Amino acid sequence: MSDDTKTDPDNKTAPDKTDPDPTSEKPETPGIPPRRRTPLIIAAVAIIAVIAVIAAVVLGGGADEETATESGDVTEVKIGEVAGAAAKPTTIEVPVVDEIREKVPQEILDRGTLEIGQGALPAGFPPLAFVGTDNKTLTGAEPDLSRLIAAVFGLKPELINATWQNLFVGLDAGTSDVAISNVTDTEERKQKYDFASYRQDNLGFATVGTSTWEFGGDYRTLDGLKVAVGSGTNQEKILLEWQAKLKAEGKKLDVKYFPDNPATWTALESGQIDAYFGPNPGIAYQIAGTGDTFRNAGTFSGAGESLQGLIAATTKKDSGLVEALADAINYLIENGQYATWLKTYGLSNEAVEKSEINPPGLPLENQ
């Protein structure tokens, strides 16, 4: 999600790079004592080796070589790798969960890969999805969650990077099984797609690190402040509604605009404004890169006051995959991997208690 997200709460830009071609580590052929290496036994060993390779791909929690290695039926997924200042890298162990794997459509299991759409072309939107410091790996919170889910299924993740519009084209055409790319659950989209929620869709308030101001979820705390916001964005719409309410109460909120994100953050640091209201992940990214210079002073649902907006894994309607996705996410929540993933990217304030299938989405009249 970029800091200049428009009225659609989802980001619509991303990195100008496709994800690297992933590979899996192959197990070594078991050693045979020299005196027993007859042609028949050598042939048998070769067959066993082939079976072992197939098992490693299908059951070993396969992930691309930049992000995971296989260890029996447990995958070590590297989170935040080559993400630079956006994350504090860590390794998360994820076992294959057979009862969840059994809910994955057979055609996907037979293929051995989970085809995951990422709408991260052309420029990326850190910390959610972008090309890493190695200039080739698609990294960020969304690709890493994709790898964690694939590991629960015991499948190899294939990240298909595209523009935002082509993210949905891929789902419609069946070239991707699921989109995990900061897609907001909306009632309009639910006419064509199924959703398994995994993160709150939040806006946030950034202030300087020395400020003691807290939003607290109440627009009245904004009285007397100068707050910057991106023009034409969903957050501008919300902020102007609060400004009108405060004016009706005889109070004042001064809304400020700047030409770009660097100018906004410079204004905040220099004291020209008291706060900046923007997408929560973008604020988390800025804070991660500047230490104690800035801090998050509170969040607010991107869907407005009456509904908590949700980001969800998105599949073609009735594809048969959404239940397995929700179960995989809930497994990660219940066993701690989910919390570690969010913390790595500074997104703990967007945690959900559980993944829900097709929860209430952004209403049609609010899109």
Side-chain angles (χ1 to χ4, degrees):
M1 183 184 300
S2 66
D3 285 340
D4 58 351
T5 305
K6 302 302 178 186
T7 51
D8 184 338
D10 311 310
N11 178 273
K12 300 186 179 180
T13 60
D16 190 13
K17 192 88 171 180
T18 55
D19 60 301
D21 181 29
T23 58
S24 297
E25 294 181 359
K26 299 181 179 180
E28 297 179 359
T29 304
I32 303 295
R35 62 187 179 87
R36 301 280 301 200
R37 290 187 179 178
T38 65
L40 182 59
I41 292 177
I42 291 173
V45 170
I47 292 171
I48 292 171
V50 171
I51 293 172
V53 170
I54 294 172
V57 172
V58 177
L59 300 175
D64 48 36
E65 64 181 356
E66 288 86 359
T67 58
T69 57
E70 294 173 2
S71 177
D73 56 0
V74 173
T75 301
E76 294 182 349
V77 183
K78 296 178 181 177
I79 300 297
E81 191 174 37
V82 300
K88 297 177 181 178
T90 188
T91 298
I92 299 177
E93 292 189 349
V94 183
V96 178
V97 183
D98 291 336
E99 57 267 35
I100 298 177
R101 176 183 165 84
E102 290 171 359
K103 296 181 181 180
V104 177
Q106 191 60 47
E107 63 184 88
I108 297 177
L109 296 179
D110 290 344
R111 186 201 308 143
T113 60
L114 186 65
E115 307 293 323
I116 307 161
Q118 298 283 318
L121 287 176
F125 43 104
L128 297 181
F130 57 102
V131 173
T133 55
D134 63 354
N135 296 317
K136 64 176 183 177
T137 303
L138 188 60
T139 189
E142 307 290 64
D144 280 349
L145 178 63
S146 302
R147 292 161 178 137
L148 291 170
I149 290 172
V152 174
F153 293 162
L155 294 172
K156 180 180 180 180
E158 292 283 358
L159 302 184
I160 304 170
N161 201 8
T163 62
W164 179 260
Q165 292 78 6
N166 285 335
L167 177 71
F168 296 93
V169 172
L171 288 174
D172 296 342
T175 55
S176 59
D177 303 314
V178 57
I180 300 177
S181 190
N182 200 45
V183 180
T184 296
D185 167 28
T186 74
E187 292 303 311
E188 181 180 15
R189 288 174 181 158
K190 283 200 300 197
Q191 296 173 12
K192 290 183 64 177
Y193 306 103
D194 285 323
F195 292 101
S197 59
Y198 63 84
R199 212 180 74 238
Q200 291 183 4
D201 179 16
N202 282 342
L203 301 168
F205 283 95
T207 65
V208 292
T210 55
S211 170
T212 59
W213 177 78
E214 293 287 345
F215 172 58
D218 185 349
Y219 72 90
R220 286 170 290 230
T221 63
L222 296 166
D223 179 30
L225 299 186
K226 297 177 182 178
V227 181
V229 72
S231 177
T233 61
N234 183 47
Q235 52 268 26
E236 180 197 31
K237 176 185 174 183
I238 294 171
L239 194 64
L240 292 179
E241 289 174 354
W242 288 337
Q243 184 186 48
K245 287 183 178 182
L246 287 169
K247 184 177 181 180
E249 297 170 8
K251 300 173 183 178
K252 183 180 179 181
L253 166 61
D254 195 356
V255 177
K256 296 290 187 180
Y257 299 92
F258 295 89
D260 52 36
N261 288 332
T264 301
W265 290 101
T266 298
L268 181 58
E269 186 175 8
S270 64
Q272 297 176 55
I273 55 176
D274 300 298
Y276 162 61
F277 187 41
N280 186 68
I283 290 173
Y285 177 65
Q286 186 71 22
I287 291 172
T290 55
D292 297 329
T293 304
F294 305 106
R295 69 178 185 87
N296 193 308
T299 61
F300 188 77
S301 170
E305 187 175 6
S306 61
L307 178 70
Q308 175 57 61
L310 294 170
I311 303 297
T314 308
T315 68
K316 192 173 182 178
K317 199 159 195 68
D318 300 324
S319 70
L321 183 58
V322 70
E323 183 179 354
L325 288 166
D327 285 352
I329 295 164
N330 282 325
Y331 176 86
L332 295 169
I333 290 173
E334 292 162 7
N335 290 276
Q337 296 98 332
Y338 173 83
T340 301
W341 162 68
L342 284 176
K343 185 178 180 181
T344 298
Y345 285 98
L347 297 174
S348 297
N349 59 4
E350 293 196 341
V352 295
E353 292 184 1
K354 65 175 293 186
S355 177
E356 300 177 89
I357 295 175
N358 293 327
L362 194 64
L364 288 170
E365 63 272 15
N366 196 24
Q367 296 176 42

